[in-house]
Amino acid sequence: MFSKRPASPFTPHRRSSYCLRHLVLAVALAFPLISTGLLAEPNESDGPPIARWISEAERYALSGDYDTALPLYERAIAALAEDKPRQNQLRYRYGIILNALGARRPDLYPLARSQFEAVLDYVESSPGIPFEHSAARVRSALAHTYHQQSASESRPHQRTQMLHTAYQLYSAAQKQLHRERDWQNLAITYFNLGQVCEWQGNLEEAIEWLEEAVALDRRHGFADLAEDLAYLTALREQVNPTQPAGNTPI
């Protein structure tokens, strides 16, 4: 689970670097697909050219031609119907890309959710079958679709509902990530819980989650320490503003 953090529209005074943390499109597309087995197709003449569709989809997505890329992903996903592990690997990747594009195309968030929901169903209904992403990671990715979409939602009720759903999903994910000792993804999820709480107006709880993220950053030497600490400091300043020094006697 990597990170991207677009700024919250609800706290314009806050630095723009405090954003949602998850996988950015450029990083997603930089992953070598050979290592996941998605392009490991022995002979295209034996069936649909799935590897070519995926490769072309990646190329079009990188060039910004999403209208051409997305149907290619979907064609490849459909063609992998008899190969559930590879199909769900591609669904997860496709969901990450859709979510990253959602900042510019909010209509893609529901489609991203449908990918993660399908992957989550697969993982939870197939215990013991090896899969590269745990149910907790997938649930956190699903939460992120609601979290990120809330930033572009202008209707207060819908925004409130999205943040509530994101909070519930992140909360469930963080408990499982802790049991799995998946510390980096746990730190990311703590950060996102903190931001959801801030956007909901609950600064005290937001600070508690950010403190957990910073503690993990320090313990494991994660690269996000400076940014998370700055965010935590900014939240604390909102709760207890520093009084400016002056010459006026008390």
Side-chain angles (χ1 to χ4, degrees), residues 21 24 39-40 45 47 55 68-69 71 76 84 86 91 105 107 110 112 122 137 166 182 185 195 197 210 219 227 239:
R21 184 182 284 183
V24 295
L39 292 187
S45 65
S55 180
T68 304
K84 293 300 182 185
R86 289 178 70 206
R91 279 192 183 279
R105 290 270 310 271
D107 60 299
Y122 169 75
R137 288 189 185 185
D182 188 349
N185 286 308
Q195 189 170 72
C197 288
L210 262 295
R219 188 180 311 149
E227 185 176 3
V239 173

Side-chain angles (χ1 to χ4, degrees), residues 201-217:
N202 188 348
L203 296 184
E204 289 78 9
E205 186 176 352
I207 288 170
E208 292 175 3
W209 290 118
L210 262 295
E211 287 174 342
E212 295 284 358
V214 167
L216 283 179
D217 290 343

